[in-house]
Amino acid sequence: MSKFELSRRSLLKTGLAGVAASTLPYRFASAQGAVTVGIVYVGPRDDFGWNQAHAVAAKALKEVPGVTVVEEENVPETDAVAKSMESMINLDGANLILATSFGYYNPFVVDLAKKYSKVEFRHAAPLWSKDKDPKNAGSYFPYLNQAHYVNGVAAGLSSASGKIGFVAAKPIPSVLSNINSVLLGARSVKPDATVRVIFTGEWSLPVREAEATNALVDAGCDVITCHVDSPKVVIETAESRGVKSLGHNASQAPLAPKGFITGAEYKWETIYKSFAADIAASKTLPNFLVGGFDKDMLRSTPYGAGASEAAKKAADAARAALVKGEPIYKGTLKDNQGKVVVDKTYDNYDPYLDGMNWLLEGVQGSIT
């Protein structure tokens, strides 16, 4: 869920952000013990967004020999999630719990981790603290802005006008990073490309998302993308207006058979399979796991009818470069108020970028 994509600064302060990431993807070994994974979702598994991305990974995990997966959807961020997780432990024998919603962590994951010291708990947001939280708990999170950079490359070469629209929920660092990365990707192939952003103010406001999409199209944007909980409304509205679209979180390709280009997707199964493999082999799970294309934690949605051949070729090349560690933020870059905000080349995992509080020159919109 998008609201869980908070600043990773707290994650990186621990100094453990890359623990075990270099060994991914894992090859699942012959099980030395039973592996039962419990997964809880805050919404429906078929939301075309955050929850669906995790459900896709759960489906892949079910295909691994020796692994049992127990799922529950529409679990609120209340003591209901504690009851669900505890049931998975006591009734299903879960030895790994994956809590996929921000509000699940404190106090619910923390309290249950203290109570069930032999069960591993991992949470899809950078909230675990090595100084105060249980050692059998932890965090995992991929850097989706890398996939949005690839989106931008594809958008730049699929847009006739060079005007890209972005429907965003709130101006937190990870959202700003995705917006800015789309711009940089687009400008790498079309230097005069622009991104116009409208913030809806909430993570799920379907009516407002439709209004924002229509406003962007009316302003001349012929490619639309977003960062909201479920992109379904944005993608469908763009399709109905006859413009192209780019996805976020999971695949929205079925929603736009004429205009879909590609999308930025999480590849949670890389992480989930690595956790299951560690448990099967009686290995210690990492408390923090982060990565991007270079750690096989992201993917781009297969190209749709909206992608030009030139866009496909350039996007493929951009993705290959990111796998090799090519930096996105480099040189001297100003924000859209004229202030220099990038004065050198930054590694894609540099903590400075996790505190992003600006929109780059070329992005039309305001965070205030």
Side-chain angles (χ1 to χ4, degrees), residues 102-168:
F102 180 80
Y104 290 166
Y105 189 70
N106 197 353
F108 309 114
V109 166
V110 172
D111 287 349
L112 283 184
K114 292 176 181 177
K115 182 176 181 180
Y116 296 96
S117 60
K118 294 184 179 181
V119 177
E120 294 292 335
F121 294 80
R122 292 298 180 271
H123 182 253
L127 298 180
W128 183 82
S129 170
K130 68 175 182 177
D131 297 322
K132 63 180 182 179
D133 291 340
K135 302 304 179 185
N136 60 322
S139 296
Y140 59 95
F141 214 78
Y143 280 50
L144 195 61
N145 77 291
Q146 294 180 20
H148 274 286
Y149 177 85
V150 175
N151 274 5
V153 172
L157 291 176
S158 298
S159 167
S161 68
K163 297 178 180 179
I164 301 164
F166 200 114
V167 180

Side-chain angles (χ1 to χ4, degrees), residues 19-52:
V19 171
S22 62
T23 61
L24 293 178
Y26 284 71
R27 176 177 294 178
F28 194 87
S30 297
Q32 298 178 9
V35 180
T36 299
V37 182
I39 308 178
V40 284
Y41 311 100
V42 75
R45 287 176 288 181
D46 58 353
D47 67 347
F48 284 97
W50 174 266
N51 294 290
Q52 183 166 315

Side-chain angles (χ1 to χ4, degrees), residues 83-106:
K83 294 176 181 177
S84 293
M85 292 188 291
E86 197 157 20
S87 175
M88 291 175 173
I89 295 167
N90 292 325
L91 299 182
D92 301 299
N95 43 14
L96 170 61
I97 297 291
L98 299 174
T100 65
S101 188
F102 180 80
Y104 290 166
Y105 189 70
N106 197 353

Side-chain angles (χ1 to χ4, degrees), residues 284-302:
T284 300
L285 269 64
N287 293 107
F288 273 89
L289 201 56
V290 298
F293 280 118
D294 55 332
K295 308 302 180 188
D296 196 34
M297 293 184 185
L298 302 173
R299 65 172 148 242
S300 294
T301 308

